[in-house]
Amino acid sequence: MTTTEYRRVLLDGAAVQVVREGDELLAADGRRVKADRAHHLPPVVPSKVIAVHLNHRSRVAEFGTTLPPAPTYFHKPVSALNSHRGAVVRPEGCHYLNYEGEIAVVIGRTCRNVSPADAGEHIAGYTLANDFGLHDFRDTDAGSMLRVKGSDTLCPLGPGLVTGWDFHGKYLRTYVNGALVQDGSTDEMTWDMHYLVADIARTITLHPGDVLLSGTPANSRPVQPGDLVEVEAEGLGRLSNRIVSGPTAIRTDVGAQPTASEEVLSTALGGDWEFRGIRPPRR
């Protein structure tokens, strides 16, 4: 099947959809821009972003747990959206910002109460995602994970929306400063893309542009300001983001504060971590 990659970029101050042609991006009016020089935007404009908790078998094994009989989910607000080459902010006073390389499903047609066999007809295509988690707030937002996964900039998508892409048998890798840190495959997903879409659409209407994040492999770990984090999957390109330090500290005169409990540390450093109680220096 032929694939086509669509991106959204800023051209002369306006958001424009373009088609990737080699190392160039082509707008409908004939304007061209080099892909490595373009100011990227998220490739889609969703009304909602829904993410599955655990799905990849390597991640389940890392946490030393077992999966429930059906997937569970959380929500990332659209204010968390970020783009290819966008800066990901780790707020001052926080220390446990983890990458999670994922493949994102993008809805193409309004979808409600469909079977897994028919779900593919409602999918526009796929893009890469990095489901960053700010685990400093895991104790206070354990149920909703609102701040853990929904804080500003923590949902990069891109670089483009790829149509006609077959999700079977594709590698999924994450790199930090060029070093491979996650190495998984779509074949280790317990529930595939069509199942996830059909499951959510039983009670939640999915609209064109809506995004479902399909889970991450093992070895999500904290990153630091200055780190370059890249997610790559066969046929979807490479999503790149730089970590930066937030310009202001988390306010102390309101709300729960960041913590560094055993729950925070064990999650940020790998679940049932082999060095539990022996922690590396915090940066």
Side-chain angles (χ1 to χ4, degrees), residues 163-209:
T163 62
W165 185 76
D166 182 354
F167 62 79
H168 296 92
K170 299 300 194 296
Y171 68 76
L172 173 61
R173 297 169 180 157
T174 305
Y175 302 82
V176 176
N177 301 323
L180 180 65
V181 293
Q182 286 186 295
D183 191 2
S185 164
T186 55
D187 285 347
E188 67 164 305
M189 295 169 61
T190 302
W191 300 289
D192 71 15
M193 316 299 189
H194 294 171
Y195 185 101
L196 297 177
V197 169
D199 185 15
I200 288 296
R202 290 183 302 159
T203 60
I204 299 174
T205 300
L206 297 171
H207 298 287

Side-chain angles (χ1 to χ4, degrees), residues 5 7 18-27 32-35:
E5 181 177 345
R7 300 190 185 188
V18 293
V19 177
R20 182 180 172 219
E21 291 189 350
D23 63 354
E24 290 190 323
L25 305 176
L26 174 65
R32 290 179 179 269
V33 61
K34 291 287 187 183

